[in-house]
Amino acid sequence: MKERQSLFGIELDPLTMDETVQRCLEAVRDGHQLEIGVVNAAKLVNMRRDPRLAQAVAGCDLVLADGQAVVWAGRILRAPLPERVAGIDLFLRLLAEAESAGMSVYFLGARQDVLEQMLRRVAHRFPGLKVGGSRNGYFDDAQQEAIAGEIARSGAQMLFLGMTSPKKEIFTATRGARTGARVVHGVGGSFDILAGVTKRAPESWQRWGAEWLYRALQEPRRLGRRYLTTNARFLLMTARELIRLTPPIAPANRSH
């Protein structure tokens, strides 16, 4: 196993996409649970202000760099990560692997209409996929235990949570084991993208770490200010950490 890299006080797994997929398949095959946490710039900022979110992410078996900005920060701060492992890309890879291996999956999250549209599109894209069950993401805390039991009874080996932070991370931390799923992966807004409700940024924008800008341009009133504020805080966090890690310049010796 690769040694974890510490970034902003969070331990991240320096894995490639292929290595991550392999770890997930091994978990299903070996019968042990793998809870996956992903972090981008916004989440790392929010983790500073939300102890429950920070604790839930830190408790995951794998913590991956979902955002390109996190990979860049890792290089600058001497905590190198091999590549970005985007949550939605991992989601799609695991659906393909589950289809070919006959593994059962469960989808939890999004509005009911979005979930149904996503299920139709997933069935078209992965016709051989075994879907053990699904449920929308609109429920209160009192229902969590019953929902976890429903997932366990479905026999699903992979659970995908299409919910916002910190709800999906806290559900994973508190109910992940109860679900019985071998792989628990919080995929955020990926259900909306697969359903065609929102568009994902083109690959060129992704490579330049500008997915946030693409989304902000789609919903400027709702997301514009939030992204600008969050990114500014992330840059400040990175600068402060770099200053902390940079050794002071020793004064030159003067002979008298």
Side-chain angles (χ1 to χ4, degrees), residues 29-242:
R29 192 164 54 242
D30 298 343
H32 67 262
Q33 190 173 64
L34 194 66
E35 294 179 354
I36 300 171
V38 296
V39 294
N40 55 22
K43 192 180 293 184
L44 285 169
V45 169
N46 290 333
M47 286 165 66
R48 288 282 177 98
R49 298 179 295 188
D50 187 341
R52 285 189 74 195
L53 174 61
Q55 186 177 14
V57 172
C60 288
D61 302 295
L62 287 184
V63 183
L64 307 166
D66 176 58
Q68 187 60 43
V70 179
V71 176
W72 290 338
R75 291 173 187 167
I76 293 168
L77 300 175
R78 292 169 244 160
L81 303 164
E83 65 182 17
R84 177 192 184 201
V85 181
I88 186 170
D89 294 331
L90 178 59
F91 179 27
L92 292 170
R93 282 284 302 270
L94 291 177
L95 289 180
E97 294 288 349
E99 180 189 31
S100 64
M103 297 172 183
S104 176
V105 304
Y106 195 104
F107 301 106
L108 176 62
R111 298 194 316 263
Q112 186 63 32
D113 60 322
V114 173
L115 178 63
E116 290 171 2
Q117 175 67 2
M118 186 204 71
L119 289 171
R120 286 191 289 270
R121 291 194 171 201
V122 165
H124 178 75
R125 187 167 179 175
F126 305 100
L129 182 66
K130 292 169 61 178
V131 179
S134 63
R135 193 199 188 285
N136 68 59
Y138 289 81
F139 54 88
D140 56 39
D141 290 349
Q143 296 174 279
Q144 287 192 12
E145 182 64 22
I147 291 168
E150 177 187 316
I151 297 167
R153 287 189 294 276
S154 78
Q157 294 156 295
M158 293 187 184
L159 168 62
F160 300 105
L161 305 173
M163 301 184 291
T164 57
S165 293
K167 189 172 183 177
K168 66 178 182 293
E169 288 85 3
I170 292 172
F171 184 90
T172 298
T174 59
R175 298 289 185 268
R178 174 73 178 89
T179 68
R182 298 309 180 193
V183 174
V184 182
H185 178 24
V187 300
S190 299
F191 286 14
D192 287 23
I193 294 173
L194 263 63
V197 174
T198 58
K199 290 183 179 180
R200 192 180 183 195
E203 285 190 18
S204 57
W205 291 62
Q206 296 175 41
R207 283 196 301 272
W208 286 100
E211 275 187 288
W212 67 271
L213 179 58
Y214 188 86
R215 286 203 63 204
L217 290 172
Q218 284 184 304
E219 299 181 75
R221 286 190 175 183
R222 189 174 74 88
L223 299 176
R225 185 171 180 177
R226 184 198 306 178
Y227 277 128
L228 288 173
T229 303
T230 300
N231 287 348
R233 286 176 176 158
F234 182 74
L235 287 171
L236 185 59
M237 276 172 55
T238 304
R240 284 175 172 166
E241 190 69 7
L242 181 60

